[in-house]
Amino acid sequence: MLKAILESAVAAILAIDSSGRIQIANPAAEKMFGYTADEMIGKPINILMPEPYQGQHDSYLQRHLTTGEKHIIGIGREVKGLRKDGEIFPLHLSVGTFEVAGQRFFSGILNDLSARARLQAEIDRQSLLFQAVFDHVPEALVISSPDGEVILVNPAATRMFGYSTEDVLDLSTLFANPQDLEKLETGDTDSVGGRTIAVPLRRRDGIEFPGQGHVADIVGADGSRIAIVSLFRDMTEEMRQKEAALKSQRLEAIGQLSGGIAHDFNNLLTIISGNLELLEETITNKQDHDLLSRAARAADSGARLTNRLLTFARRRQLASAVINLNEQVRGMTELLRRTLGDTVELRTHLAPELWLARVDAGEVEAAVINLAINARDAMPDGGKLTIRTENATLEEGEIGFEGPLTAGEYVRISVSDNGVGMTKETLSRVFEPFFTTKPPGRGTGLGLSTIYGFVKQSQGNITIYSEPGAGTTVNLYLPRSIDAKQAQAAAAPETRLAKGETVLVVEDNRDVRTLTVKRFERLGYRVVECVTGAEAMEVLKNGLKVELVFSDIMMPGGITGLDLGKWIIENRPSLPVILTTGFAEEIAGTVTTDEDSWTILRKPYTQNDLAEIVHKALERQTA
Ligand code: ADP
Ligand code: MG
């Protein structure tokens, strides 16, 4: 029976005699120390002890035997054991004493505490980890009691809210509207068992900022709420970026819409002004002629308007050239002085050694005039207008009107005034077409929107700074030109007459086609008409003799003007092709690498433009 108890005991049981030698060791003791019972029996007990126990044991035993001091006797203490393999481990030891036949013995019951020690180490490790996370997460973490008294805040929270860790405060004081806390506590829980809301927060100094709050309960084993964890994020930067993205999306959408309308109008205006031009030549009556030129002028204004819309929508074909913006500004100062009047003082600061810019000179001029007029309007009682040019390198991460600017080298042209400036609301909408704060008849709202589109399409950046009462500065960043080719002056157009060549006109729109045919005939060319690209290929395959092909780019039926052009290059390489379009975009999207090899005429065009381009194409052919 006793033997069975020894054998089955979960605790290690050892007995030693009064000289400290092991007399009994049960199987649990073998397992605990790694020795067999035979290896232990007869050996001094201190082989199972690490220092300092090893050295102390004999003297304790001696003292107990001589003075009865019970240092080692009694219920449990935590000590260390030494395994055969050298491992030191914590154990719980209770020592008793007994006599058999006048001989003194000591019994020990030992429990291995390694598992508990491992658990403790794990708990220590976890709390270290928790502390590290708590200290280093960018989000503010606040732990409070169920009634809202703050118990613990992390460093991010003290930074975000401006309180020190010691400041005792109530959770609700972190909210701009304290009742928002209730919303967080009672709202629907999300997938991670908490509640999240966008909520304005308040710093200690009273400053409010957009935030996101997340609250989760810490529930005890009995299901009661023992604490609340709140996590806060400062959303200022996100909101700013979101706003900027929304703003540019809105401009993009307006651009799509107005670009589409402008494109259709361009086609209509091409028909109107073209037909008017043809009519003009047949009319001799002075009165009818007046009516006609009024209509033509209106069509011209319409074309200018649609062109500005196309510019805003970034669908204008820009005539980019290498220009020196200083020369450009110098060339404009007289015009600007006259435009601005006597009350506005014009100053220019032109940087020496200014880089050359690659940009459409006409558009830059229009932009500067528009900016100057805006400045004049902002200074009804006079003021200063400054135009400044500078080399500017934009680094990664700089912020402009609609988020980050594109890094790179630019030539910057700035137009500043010390006029009335703009409110935040006005500033946020100035690039929208038709947005104006001016009385009807004074403003069209197409100034800044057009500039915006032109700058964007030129791969530039635009930034604008304005303070009510202080003034406004608009900066245009125009891309630096790397090759130093000089600007080419455009040749003055003149009407050229044909020598009876035949032109193949390909155009799906009946009215436009009829007009185009008439225009060519008026210039002295013979014309063959085709409605689709496929039809044109067919007649060319059948051996039709023509000297030039004039085709619209966008045509239904799968074969575009570009496809036709490519087919001609392959099959009739000596036949010149002129393509026509209302969009710059169509061209940008399709003709990128070999843009120069196409001759493109943009709608709406005048009879002069047509004569010029056709003549050139034929001339190049015979040369
Ligand atoms: P418009 O001049 O026809 O109103 P813009 O697109 O040129 O159209 O300008 C839009 C609006 O932006 C103006 O109506 C005005 O409110 C504001 N704005 C533009 N430039 C300035 C400036 N230099 N100072 C103050 N406000 C300006
Ligand atoms: Mg304007």
PDB file of all heavy atoms in Angstrom, residues 563-583:
ATOM      1  N   ASP A 563      -6.695  54.403 -89.136  1.00  0.00           N
ATOM      2  CA  ASP A 563      -6.541  53.086 -89.761  1.00  0.00           C
ATOM      3  C   ASP A 563      -6.370  53.245 -91.272  1.00  0.00           C
ATOM      4  O   ASP A 563      -5.508  52.620 -91.891  1.00  0.00           O
ATOM      5  CB  ASP A 563      -7.777  52.214 -89.489  1.00  0.00           C
ATOM      6  CG  ASP A 563      -7.968  51.969 -87.993  1.00  0.00           C
ATOM      7  OD1 ASP A 563      -6.941  51.983 -87.286  1.00  0.00           O
ATOM      8  OD2 ASP A 563      -9.119  51.801 -87.563  1.00  0.00           O
ATOM      9  N   LEU A 564      -7.207  54.104 -91.818  1.00  0.00           N
ATOM     10  CA  LEU A 564      -7.145  54.342 -93.250  1.00  0.00           C
ATOM     11  C   LEU A 564      -5.771  54.902 -93.622  1.00  0.00           C
ATOM     12  O   LEU A 564      -5.132  54.449 -94.584  1.00  0.00           O
ATOM     13  CB  LEU A 564      -8.261  55.322 -93.656  1.00  0.00           C
ATOM     14  CG  LEU A 564      -8.285  55.751 -95.123  1.00  0.00           C
ATOM     15  CD1 LEU A 564      -8.535  54.547 -96.039  1.00  0.00           C
ATOM     16  CD2 LEU A 564      -9.374  56.810 -95.358  1.00  0.00           C
ATOM     17  N   GLY A 565      -5.311  55.879 -92.810  1.00  0.00           N
ATOM     18  CA  GLY A 565      -4.007  56.488 -93.062  1.00  0.00           C
ATOM     19  C   GLY A 565      -2.891  55.447 -93.048  1.00  0.00           C
ATOM     20  O   GLY A 565      -2.016  55.439 -93.921  1.00  0.00           O
ATOM     21  N   LYS A 566      -2.942  54.554 -92.030  1.00  0.00           N
ATOM     22  CA  LYS A 566      -1.907  53.529 -91.931  1.00  0.00           C
ATOM     23  C   LYS A 566      -1.953  52.587 -93.131  1.00  0.00           C
ATOM     24  O   LYS A 566      -0.922  52.160 -93.659  1.00  0.00           O
ATOM     25  CB  LYS A 566      -2.085  52.720 -90.634  1.00  0.00           C
ATOM     26  CG  LYS A 566      -1.614  53.492 -89.414  1.00  0.00           C
ATOM     27  CD  LYS A 566      -1.884  52.711 -88.137  1.00  0.00           C
ATOM     28  CE  LYS A 566      -1.709  53.613 -86.917  1.00  0.00           C
ATOM     29  NZ  LYS A 566      -2.545  53.151 -85.787  1.00  0.00           N
ATOM     30  N   TRP A 567      -3.177  52.258 -93.554  1.00  0.00           N
ATOM     31  CA  TRP A 567      -3.349  51.369 -94.702  1.00  0.00           C
ATOM     32  C   TRP A 567      -2.752  52.005 -95.953  1.00  0.00           C
ATOM     33  O   TRP A 567      -2.076  51.354 -96.750  1.00  0.00           O
ATOM     34  CB  TRP A 567      -4.843  51.070 -94.907  1.00  0.00           C
ATOM     35  CG  TRP A 567      -5.121  50.095 -96.012  1.00  0.00           C
ATOM     36  CD1 TRP A 567      -5.133  48.739 -95.920  1.00  0.00           C
ATOM     37  CD2 TRP A 567      -5.417  50.418 -97.381  1.00  0.00           C
ATOM     38  NE1 TRP A 567      -5.414  48.179 -97.128  1.00  0.00           N
ATOM     39  CE2 TRP A 567      -5.591  49.184 -98.056  1.00  0.00           C
ATOM     40  CE3 TRP A 567      -5.549  51.628 -98.091  1.00  0.00           C
ATOM     41  CZ2 TRP A 567      -5.900  49.116 -99.413  1.00  0.00           C
ATOM     42  CZ3 TRP A 567      -5.859  51.568 -99.438  1.00  0.00           C
ATOM     43  CH2 TRP A 567      -6.023  50.315-100.092  1.00  0.00           C
ATOM     44  N   ILE A 568      -2.971  53.315 -96.070  1.00  0.00           N
ATOM     45  CA  ILE A 568      -2.448  54.017 -97.249  1.00  0.00           C
ATOM     46  C   ILE A 568      -0.921  54.044 -97.220  1.00  0.00           C
ATOM     47  O   ILE A 568      -0.264  53.821 -98.241  1.00  0.00           O
ATOM     48  CB  ILE A 568      -3.033  55.443 -97.337  1.00  0.00           C
ATOM     49  CG1 ILE A 568      -4.531  55.353 -97.667  1.00  0.00           C
ATOM     50  CG2 ILE A 568      -2.305  56.287 -98.383  1.00  0.00           C
ATOM     51  CD1 ILE A 568      -5.273  56.659 -97.576  1.00  0.00           C
ATOM     52  N   ILE A 569      -0.356  54.297 -96.027  1.00  0.00           N
ATOM     53  CA  ILE A 569       1.113  54.316 -95.922  1.00  0.00           C
ATOM     54  C   ILE A 569       1.692  52.985 -96.399  1.00  0.00           C
ATOM     55  O   ILE A 569       2.721  52.931 -97.064  1.00  0.00           O
ATOM     56  CB  ILE A 569       1.538  54.627 -94.469  1.00  0.00           C
ATOM     57  CG1 ILE A 569       1.268  56.107 -94.176  1.00  0.00           C
ATOM     58  CG2 ILE A 569       3.014  54.298 -94.243  1.00  0.00           C
ATOM     59  CD1 ILE A 569       1.563  56.511 -92.755  1.00  0.00           C
ATOM     60  N   GLU A 570       0.978  51.897 -96.058  1.00  0.00           N
ATOM     61  CA  GLU A 570       1.476  50.577 -96.457  1.00  0.00           C
ATOM     62  C   GLU A 570       1.267  50.273 -97.931  1.00  0.00           C
ATOM     63  O   GLU A 570       2.118  49.670 -98.582  1.00  0.00           O
ATOM     64  CB  GLU A 570       0.786  49.482 -95.620  1.00  0.00           C
ATOM     65  CG  GLU A 570       1.505  49.248 -94.296  1.00  0.00           C
ATOM     66  CD  GLU A 570       0.651  48.435 -93.344  1.00  0.00           C
ATOM     67  OE1 GLU A 570      -0.161  47.608 -93.823  1.00  0.00           O
ATOM     68  OE2 GLU A 570       0.780  48.645 -92.117  1.00  0.00           O
ATOM     69  N   ASN A 571       0.082  50.686 -98.430  1.00  0.00           N
ATOM     70  CA  ASN A 571      -0.279  50.262 -99.778  1.00  0.00           C
ATOM     71  C   ASN A 571      -0.064  51.303-100.865  1.00  0.00           C
ATOM     72  O   ASN A 571       0.127  50.963-102.025  1.00  0.00           O
ATOM     73  CB  ASN A 571      -1.745  49.799 -99.795  1.00  0.00           C
ATOM     74  CG  ASN A 571      -1.935  48.579 -98.910  1.00  0.00           C
ATOM     75  OD1 ASN A 571      -1.605  47.467 -99.303  1.00  0.00           O
ATOM     76  ND2 ASN A 571      -2.425  48.797 -97.701  1.00  0.00           N
ATOM     77  N   ARG A 572      -0.150  52.579-100.475  1.00  0.00           N
ATOM     78  CA  ARG A 572       0.093  53.648-101.460  1.00  0.00           C
ATOM     79  C   ARG A 572       1.007  54.682-100.822  1.00  0.00           C
ATOM     80  O   ARG A 572       0.598  55.816-100.577  1.00  0.00           O
ATOM     81  CB  ARG A 572      -1.238  54.314-101.859  1.00  0.00           C
ATOM     82  CG  ARG A 572      -2.288  53.386-102.482  1.00  0.00           C
ATOM     83  CD  ARG A 572      -2.125  53.258-104.006  1.00  0.00           C
ATOM     84  NE  ARG A 572      -2.373  54.509-104.697  1.00  0.00           N
ATOM     85  CZ  ARG A 572      -3.568  54.845-105.214  1.00  0.00           C
ATOM     86  NH1 ARG A 572      -4.598  54.033-105.114  1.00  0.00           N
ATOM     87  NH2 ARG A 572      -3.711  55.989-105.851  1.00  0.00           N
ATOM     88  N   PRO A 573       2.238  54.306-100.501  1.00  0.00           N
ATOM     89  CA  PRO A 573       3.107  55.173 -99.677  1.00  0.00           C
ATOM     90  C   PRO A 573       3.320  56.572-100.243  1.00  0.00           C
ATOM     91  O   PRO A 573       3.666  57.484 -99.502  1.00  0.00           O
ATOM     92  CB  PRO A 573       4.412  54.387 -99.597  1.00  0.00           C
ATOM     93  CG  PRO A 573       4.333  53.328-100.632  1.00  0.00           C
ATOM     94  CD  PRO A 573       2.903  53.064-100.902  1.00  0.00           C
ATOM     95  N   SER A 574       3.114  56.768-101.534  1.00  0.00           N
ATOM     96  CA  SER A 574       3.371  58.105-102.076  1.00  0.00           C
ATOM     97  C   SER A 574       2.145  59.008-102.023  1.00  0.00           C
ATOM     98  O   SER A 574       2.214  60.175-102.397  1.00  0.00           O
ATOM     99  CB  SER A 574       3.861  57.975-103.525  1.00  0.00           C
ATOM    100  OG  SER A 574       2.827  57.387-104.290  1.00  0.00           O
ATOM    101  N   LEU A 575       1.029  58.453-101.529  1.00  0.00           N
ATOM    102  CA  LEU A 575      -0.208  59.240-101.510  1.00  0.00           C
ATOM    103  C   LEU A 575      -0.320  60.027-100.206  1.00  0.00           C
ATOM    104  O   LEU A 575      -0.367  59.445 -99.127  1.00  0.00           O
ATOM    105  CB  LEU A 575      -1.404  58.275-101.657  1.00  0.00           C
ATOM    106  CG  LEU A 575      -2.797  58.879-101.657  1.00  0.00           C
ATOM    107  CD1 LEU A 575      -2.988  59.874-102.795  1.00  0.00           C
ATOM    108  CD2 LEU A 575      -3.846  57.776-101.750  1.00  0.00           C
ATOM    109  N   PRO A 576      -0.343  61.379-100.249  1.00  0.00           N
ATOM    110  CA  PRO A 576      -0.432  62.152 -99.004  1.00  0.00           C
ATOM    111  C   PRO A 576      -1.814  62.058 -98.350  1.00  0.00           C
ATOM    112  O   PRO A 576      -2.825  61.979 -99.056  1.00  0.00           O
ATOM    113  CB  PRO A 576      -0.124  63.581 -99.443  1.00  0.00           C
ATOM    114  CG  PRO A 576      -0.345  63.628-100.898  1.00  0.00           C
ATOM    115  CD  PRO A 576      -0.213  62.233-101.441  1.00  0.00           C
ATOM    116  N   VAL A 577      -1.821  62.060 -97.023  1.00  0.00           N
ATOM    117  CA  VAL A 577      -3.063  61.946 -96.262  1.00  0.00           C
ATOM    118  C   VAL A 577      -3.157  63.127 -95.299  1.00  0.00           C
ATOM    119  O   VAL A 577      -2.185  63.446 -94.608  1.00  0.00           O
ATOM    120  CB  VAL A 577      -3.073  60.635 -95.442  1.00  0.00           C
ATOM    121  CG1 VAL A 577      -4.354  60.531 -94.612  1.00  0.00           C
ATOM    122  CG2 VAL A 577      -2.922  59.433 -96.355  1.00  0.00           C
ATOM    123  N   ILE A 578      -4.332  63.752 -95.267  1.00  0.00           N
ATOM    124  CA  ILE A 578      -4.585  64.772 -94.233  1.00  0.00           C
ATOM    125  C   ILE A 578      -5.728  64.258 -93.376  1.00  0.00           C
ATOM    126  O   ILE A 578      -6.762  63.828 -93.890  1.00  0.00           O
ATOM    127  CB  ILE A 578      -4.964  66.130 -94.859  1.00  0.00           C
ATOM    128  CG1 ILE A 578      -3.785  66.686 -95.680  1.00  0.00           C
ATOM    129  CG2 ILE A 578      -5.356  67.133 -93.766  1.00  0.00           C
ATOM    130  CD1 ILE A 578      -4.122  67.955 -96.439  1.00  0.00           C
ATOM    131  N   LEU A 579      -5.534  64.273 -92.075  1.00  0.00           N
ATOM    132  CA  LEU A 579      -6.575  63.844 -91.159  1.00  0.00           C
ATOM    133  C   LEU A 579      -7.165  65.066 -90.484  1.00  0.00           C
ATOM    134  O   LEU A 579      -6.464  66.051 -90.228  1.00  0.00           O
ATOM    135  CB  LEU A 579      -6.001  62.893 -90.109  1.00  0.00           C
ATOM    136  CG  LEU A 579      -5.380  61.612 -90.672  1.00  0.00           C
ATOM    137  CD1 LEU A 579      -4.734  60.805 -89.564  1.00  0.00           C
ATOM    138  CD2 LEU A 579      -6.421  60.779 -91.413  1.00  0.00           C
ATOM    139  N   THR A 580      -8.461  64.989 -90.173  1.00  0.00           N
ATOM    140  CA  THR A 580      -9.090  66.130 -89.529  1.00  0.00           C
ATOM    141  C   THR A 580      -9.870  65.649 -88.313  1.00  0.00           C
ATOM    142  O   THR A 580     -10.385  64.535 -88.295  1.00  0.00           O
ATOM    143  CB  THR A 580     -10.004  66.890 -90.515  1.00  0.00           C
ATOM    144  OG1 THR A 580     -10.643  67.953 -89.811  1.00  0.00           O
ATOM    145  CG2 THR A 580     -11.062  65.994 -91.120  1.00  0.00           C
ATOM    146  N   THR A 581      -9.899  66.493 -87.287  1.00  0.00           N
ATOM    147  CA  THR A 581     -10.575  66.102 -86.049  1.00  0.00           C
ATOM    148  C   THR A 581     -10.939  67.317 -85.220  1.00  0.00           C
ATOM    149  O   THR A 581     -10.345  68.382 -85.359  1.00  0.00           O
ATOM    150  CB  THR A 581      -9.680  65.184 -85.196  1.00  0.00           C
ATOM    151  OG1 THR A 581     -10.381  64.867 -84.002  1.00  0.00           O
ATOM    152  CG2 THR A 581      -8.368  65.840 -84.836  1.00  0.00           C
ATOM    153  N   GLY A 582     -11.939  67.133 -84.366  1.00  0.00           N
ATOM    154  CA  GLY A 582     -12.304  68.187 -83.433  1.00  0.00           C
ATOM    155  C   GLY A 582     -11.585  68.021 -82.120  1.00  0.00           C
ATOM    156  O   GLY A 582     -11.544  68.909 -81.294  1.00  0.00           O
ATOM    157  N   PHE A 583     -11.027  66.851 -81.920  1.00  0.00           N
ATOM    158  CA  PHE A 583     -10.370  66.526 -80.653  1.00  0.00           C
ATOM    159  C   PHE A 583      -8.870  66.544 -80.780  1.00  0.00           C
ATOM    160  O   PHE A 583      -8.332  66.010 -81.740  1.00  0.00           O
ATOM    161  CB  PHE A 583     -10.710  65.096 -80.242  1.00  0.00           C
ATOM    162  CG  PHE A 583     -11.974  64.988 -79.462  1.00  0.00           C
ATOM    163  CD1 PHE A 583     -12.974  64.131 -79.883  1.00  0.00           C
ATOM    164  CD2 PHE A 583     -12.155  65.706 -78.305  1.00  0.00           C
ATOM    165  CE1 PHE A 583     -14.129  63.996 -79.151  1.00  0.00           C
ATOM    166  CE2 PHE A 583     -13.310  65.566 -77.576  1.00  0.00           C
ATOM    167  CZ  PHE A 583     -14.308  64.709 -78.000  1.00  0.00           C
TER     168      PHE A 583
END
